[in-house]
Amino acid sequence: MSTTGKVGFVGGISGVLIDEFQYGYQAGAAYADKKLGKHTDVLIRYVGSWLDTETGHALAEELYG
């Protein structure tokens, strides 16, 4: 549940499979918005690597902030 009207998605590297996860995440937010009569911004960030956990953590912290 978002109290700010924003949610975040962090992916490793954009590609067919992860793009489908991103689409599903965005579709879920849109569905909830429609049901609740709200608008939620979905903020997207990609690390550029599957192994760089520090950058992934930093991007998640950025979105959380």
Side-chain angles (χ1 to χ4, degrees), residues 1 10-11 13 16 19 21 23-24 33 35-36 38-39 45-47 52-53 56 59-61 64:
M1 179 172 33
V10 177
I13 299 173
V16 175
D19 291 350
F21 279 100
Y23 175 78
D33 284 348
K35 286 289 191 180
L36 300 173
K38 296 184 177 186
H39 173 77
R45 300 289 186 276
Y46 278 92
V47 176
D52 188 354
T53 57
L59 290 173
E61 288 286 331
Y64 186 77

Side-chain angles (χ1 to χ4, degrees), residues 1-2 5 14-15 17 20 24 29 31 33-35 39 42-44 46 48 52 55 57-60 63:
M1 179 172 33
S2 174
S14 182
L17 183 59
E20 290 180 14
Y31 177 82
D33 284 348
K34 187 174 181 178
K35 286 289 191 180
H39 173 77
V42 180
L43 308 173
I44 309 295
Y46 278 92
D52 188 354
T55 300
H57 181 83
L59 290 173
L63 293 174

